[in-house]
Amino acid sequence: MLKRMKYQFLLGLGLLAAVAAALNGCGGESANPPSGETTASLMKARGLTEDDVIAALKTYTPSGKHDTHYLIASGGHSGQVIVVGVPSMRILKYVGVFTPEPWQGYGFDDDTRKLLADASPKGTNLTWADTHHPALSETNGEYDGEHVFINDKANARIAVISLKDFATTQIVRSDLLRSDHGGAFVTPNTEYVIEGGQYPIPLDGSHVDLDPKNYADLYRSVIILWKFDREKGRIAPEESFAIELPPYMQDLADAGKLDSDGYIFLNSFNTERAIGKAVEGSPTLESGASQNDMDYLHIINWRKAAEVAKQEGKTSKIHDMTVISLQTAIDEELLHFVPEPKSPHGVDVTPDGKGICISGKLDTHVTVFDFAKLKQAIESKTFDGKDDYGVPIISFKDTIRGQIQVGLGPLHTQFDGQGRAYTSLFIESKVAQWSLDDLELIDTIPVHYNVGHISVVGGDTVKPEGRYLVSLNKWAIDRFAPVGPLLPQNFQLIDISGDKMQLLYDMPIGLGEPHYVQIIAADKIKADEVYSPVGFNPATRQVDPHAATSEEDARVERDGDTVDVYLTAVRSHFSPDTVRVKQGDTVRFHVTNLEQTHDATHGFALNHFNVNISLEPGKTANFTIKADEPGVYPFYCSEFCSALHLEMAGYMLVEPAEAAAEQPAEASAEQPAEAMAEQLAEASAEK
Ligand code: CUA
């Protein structure tokens, strides 16, 4: 192995030397590299090892060259999604999802403002999210590059992002859940987007005091299966359903595939039903929830559940959601348990769908269940007993394929295309590589530090590509220049293509807490270059009925005290560039970028009214303001679009109501200067 690395290194050196020689030979002046630097002198000056240079050669992406993969990352508390190129680890985009994103105008136009408002529970205005698990849409168990879904753990929401334009198109939520963690995950053909709850609550949303009996009898969790309508690219809440679950704290989920297609596997902890110190003398939640050696892996037959959800009399409606009760789930044989050690976190189905890997946070093993044995037990009704709610419990020892000791604090497992699995070890700050075939440890690599999730290219599909692994480290400690007590977190890129894992790159993420990522080959994503035809509204995914699609079409129309401004943008002017309204008017702007040139984006920024709109080529956006304060309000293009970008500006004039009342309405709109002069005179007289 070392020999090969040395060879690669020498090859790299040779290439660099050849490039330098060519430059020196033809240019006369030795401009690049400067001052006669050589790879060897640079290595010496910067204290770089051979491994460093090999890592650099594997990740360096010259200007103009594209990355081979996209990493789709949770943006943590920002409520955004971060798109990163691999292997360069260059940030390509932040996508506004659960929170406003000013540059994209997300949350500033009428459609996305409504999208965000509707995504808040009644009477609230949520301005953050705890984004956790991005899930790329799948066809036949492989990423298809069409959509990505992501959950907000804090408020139990699921968002849909289109990968045509990397923009959020929908957010759904149900009052059945106040928190989620087992989401977003998709079934192999994205029939459903899975959202498993985390902290049990009374499902009707009422107040029920916290004591052991109430908790056991009246608190519940649910798992929601959001139906995804592929044709519309939207979740259909009316075709979605939930399954009631016992008041355990459900954790991560994964969908079965191939052999185990049709099933969902959902972890749980706190099957002890500890409630912290709500009752005097009881232990803390962490200690109470860690008493049992085993918790329960929930095995849910989603295909059968989808049938039951459609049957008359088998469901009820809670908060407008179709709910299969726990009793019905048991009667219809939709839900089974198998014990899993101990306070587990990750559940990950192997690429062939035959194995289910469980990482027990407080266990040193990864446990691999054999799906065929689980299915056999379910079909033959061979159970060890039932839990307190009557859910049948399958035998642990009869259904495991085996266990592998990986180290301290195993959390999540991913797979490559060569029969190897990778498990993050939180306590040891390592990633373990092991063989799926014989459950033997192959290699470990230290990571810096406190790794949570890991992700391999295609690592949770039926055909993982392998090649790269990204370790999402919660602590960075000494990795980067200090920036105060709040440190960035660290994405570490690891090459897993060879016999030994090699650390390639540290990427600080100054926007936390990024929780999980998925990595997809770049050629699977077919993103649009412009919005077409002109007038396309990305929020509604169709041509906007209010779009002015040519400058001739640009106009202002008044109906009572409502003014519609049909405005166009093209390098380097707005039409119209003067908008006269009256105090008290409701002004509805419909702004269209007429350009179809790649990257010819304009912005529309209007001071005082908290408006910034992004106008990518062909896009139409609508926004509404109430012209309450008389005055003169400049607007301007907020994208540096051309040499005359600063000249791409105009005025909105809000005439005072008194002045408007004194004159005929038409005249006042045409001659605001007089009214303004009068007002100015009055104002200066007052001073
Ligand atoms: Cu258009 Cu700047």
Side-chain angles (χ1 to χ4, degrees):
M1 180 62 207
L2 261 178
K3 222 175 187 172
R4 202 174 81 197
M5 273 159 57
K6 196 145 197 165
Y7 169 73
Q8 284 169 333
F9 167 71
L10 288 172
L11 191 71
L13 276 189
L15 278 174
L16 285 175
V19 169
L23 282 168
N24 286 335
C26 66
E29 279 177 23
S30 161
N32 192 10
S35 14
E37 283 167 340
T38 63
T39 311
S41 73
L42 278 170
M43 282 175 69
K44 195 167 174 230
R46 298 198 65 210
L48 301 177
T49 64
E50 284 191 12
D51 273 355
D52 294 336
V53 176
I54 288 167
L57 289 172
K58 285 181 176 182
T59 54
Y60 176 65
T61 308
S63 177
K65 285 252 190 324
H66 291 192
D67 283 299
T68 53
H69 295 79
Y70 290 94
L71 178 149
I72 311 284
S74 143
H77 304 166
S78 73
Q80 301 174 349
V81 157
I82 311 169
V83 183
V84 177
V86 176
S88 74
M89 305 308 271
R90 298 178 296 194
I91 293 176
L92 303 176
K93 193 168 194 176
Y94 294 97
V95 181
V97 184
F98 294 106
T99 51
E101 205 296 314
W103 175 51
Q104 293 154 21
Y106 181 74
F108 294 85
D109 64 65
D110 289 348
D111 293 297
T112 55
R113 200 185 278 248
K114 182 174 186 315
L115 195 157
L116 285 176
D118 291 350
S120 288
K122 218 168 143 193
T124 68
N125 174 25
L126 300 177
T127 54
W128 84 290
D130 191 3
T131 51
H132 264 238
H133 309 109
L136 287 154
S137 57
E138 294 181 14
T139 299
N140 298 324
E142 287 190 76
Y143 301 149
D144 55 38
E146 290 185 5
H147 291 91
V148 63
F149 309 92
I150 192 160
N151 70 310
D152 164 19
K153 167 174 163 158
N155 305 291
R157 301 184 284 181
I158 300 276
V160 183
I161 297 160
S162 167
L163 293 180
K164 281 273 168 225
D165 55 354
F166 291 74
T168 303
T169 56
Q170 189 184 19
I171 299 174
V172 293
R173 57 172 296 279
S174 165
D175 283 323
L176 283 170
L177 289 175
R178 287 198 191 275
S179 57
D180 67 31
H181 197 242
F185 297 95
V186 297
T187 53
N189 282 295
T190 322
E191 297 95 335
Y192 288 94
V193 183
I194 301 161
E195 183 187 22
Q198 182 126 76
Y199 304 114
I201 54 166
L203 293 190
D204 62 2
S206 63
H207 166 263
V208 175
D209 195 42
L210 189 55
D211 66 41
K213 185 167 179 357
N214 280 349
Y215 192 77
D217 294 347
L218 300 170
Y219 282 53
R220 289 289 181 272
S221 195
V222 299
I223 184 170
I224 299 178
L225 282 87
W226 295 100
K227 177 78 184 133
F228 188 62
D229 183 330
R230 179 72 75 142
E231 211 164 289
K232 291 185 180 144
R234 292 180 71 80
I235 285 171
E238 64 285 357
E239 292 175 53
S240 306
F241 66 95
I243 305 172
E244 180 191 354
L245 300 173
Y248 310 138
M249 289 176 182
Q250 281 77 19
D251 206 33
L252 278 162
D254 200 6
K257 49 194 145 196
L258 299 176
D259 280 26
S260 52
D261 185 17
Y263 287 83
I264 291 168
F265 306 94
L266 175 65
N267 268 341
S268 67
F269 61 99
N270 195 24
T271 48
E272 298 87 346
R273 285 168 292 176
I275 55 170
K277 301 185 85 66
V279 177
E280 217 185 300
S282 57
T284 58
L285 182 57
E286 61 167 326
S287 145
S290 310
Q291 301 300 308
N292 296 347
D293 282 335
M294 296 282 196
D295 291 283
Y296 295 127
L297 174 66
H298 297 34
I299 303 163
I300 297 166
N301 185 334
W302 68 259
R303 222 173 237 125
K304 203 169 170 191
E307 289 309 311
V308 170
K310 288 180 197 149
Q311 290 167 27
E312 196 93 0
K314 294 255 167 94
T315 63
S316 59
K317 285 266 182 194
I318 309 176
H319 304 300
D320 289 331
M321 174 69 78
T322 301
V323 180
I324 298 173
S325 71
L326 179 54
Q327 194 54 55
T328 303
I330 296 165
D331 295 345
E332 297 287 335
E333 299 170 11
L334 309 178
L335 176 65
H336 295 86
F337 288 161
V338 65
E340 53 179 357
K342 173 186 183 173
S343 298
H345 192 50
V347 47
D348 299 283
V349 179
T350 56
D352 60 10
K354 292 181 197 292
I356 295 110
C357 304
I358 307 295
S359 308
K361 298 186 297 258
L362 302 180
D363 186 37
T364 54
H365 297 89
V366 170
T367 300
V368 185
F369 285 99
D370 183 332
F371 177 72
K373 291 179 181 170
L374 292 170
K375 199 174 175 200
Q376 168 65 25
I378 291 170
E379 281 171 356
S380 65
K381 300 186 202 280
T382 312
F383 304 126
D384 267 4
K386 290 175 177 176
D387 83 332
D388 288 351
Y389 299 87
V391 181
I393 300 169
I394 298 165
S395 158
F396 171 77
K397 65 174 181 5
D398 293 347
T399 52
I400 60 166
R401 224 196 88 202
Q403 290 186 294
I404 165 169
Q405 183 143 12
V406 285
L408 296 177
L411 292 186
H412 301 283
T413 299
Q414 288 269 296
F415 310 95
D416 67 13
Q418 298 170 67
R420 296 178 299 199
Y422 301 80
T423 301
S424 55
L425 304 173
F426 178 82
I427 295 171
E428 282 190 41
S429 287
K430 275 182 184 169
V431 172
Q433 182 189 53
W434 50 279
S435 154
L436 264 177
D437 207 30
D438 50 17
L439 307 187
E440 293 286 342
L441 194 65
I442 302 168
D443 190 19
T444 61
I445 187 170
V447 288
H448 313 278
Y449 305 85
N450 294 13
V451 52
H453 275 274
I454 50 175
S455 182
V456 169
V457 182
D460 34 28
T461 69
V462 298
K463 277 190 200 149
E465 185 187 330
R467 193 163 164 182
Y468 299 116
L469 179 147
V470 168
S471 173
L472 283 72
N473 307 326
K474 308 295 176 187
W475 286 21
I477 309 181
D478 55 2
R479 295 293 105 173
F480 308 111
V483 287
L486 183 61
L487 275 61
Q489 302 195 6
N490 189 3
F491 285 3
Q492 287 192 305
L493 181 69
I494 295 166
D495 182 350
I496 55 167
S497 59
D499 305 333
K500 293 288 285 179
M501 293 183 279
Q502 188 200 358
L503 177 61
L504 298 182
Y505 196 78
D506 279 19
M507 179 200 187
I509 294 281
L511 198 158
E513 179 247 277
H515 197 85
Y516 182 50
V517 305
Q518 286 190 332
I519 313 169
I520 178 174
D523 60 13
K524 286 201 168 185
I525 292 185
K526 308 270 182 264
D528 289 337
E529 294 198 342
V530 298
Y531 288 115
S532 190
V534 167
F536 190 87
N537 183 336
T540 59
R541 315 308 288 179
Q542 50 198 0
V543 172
D544 195 284
H546 300 293
T549 53
S550 68
E551 273 193 65
E552 293 71 49
D553 215 11
R555 64 199 187 276
V556 179
E557 286 177 0
R558 171 178 287 280
D559 179 9
D561 58 4
T562 301
V563 180
D564 282 287
V565 183
Y566 301 87
L567 208 139
T568 62
V570 75
R571 277 164 287 170
S572 302
H573 59 273
F574 293 112
S575 295
D577 62 1
T578 312
V579 178
R580 296 187 169 97
V581 299
K582 296 166 197 163
Q583 185 179 7
D585 281 347
T586 298
V587 190
R588 304 191 298 206
F589 283 86
H590 317 286
V591 194
T592 301
N593 180 351
L594 299 178
E595 313 247 12
Q596 286 288 278
T597 306
H598 197 191
D599 214 3
T601 295
H602 300 287
F604 188 96
L606 177 61
N607 78 94
H608 181 88
F609 294 95
N610 196 34
V611 169
N612 185 50
I613 303 295
S614 175
L615 297 162
E616 297 93 280
K619 176 170 157 182
T620 292
N622 306 288
F623 69 90
T624 305
I625 56 153
K626 186 87 173 141
D628 278 336
E629 281 289 317
V632 174
Y633 302 94
F635 55 80
Y636 68 96
C637 172
S638 53
E639 282 283 336
F640 212 118
C641 59
S642 64
L644 296 178
H645 153 77
L646 290 179
E647 287 81 348
M648 191 166 175
Y651 284 99
M652 183 177 75
L653 303 143
V654 181
E655 189 181 7
E658 322 84 84
E662 280 166 21
Q663 298 170 27
E666 284 311 306
S668 81
E670 296 301 320
Q671 299 163 7
E674 270 174 47
M676 214 165 74
E678 242 171 71
Q679 203 195 2
L680 281 173
E682 274 172 34
S684 53
E686 276 167 26
K687 280 176 193 163

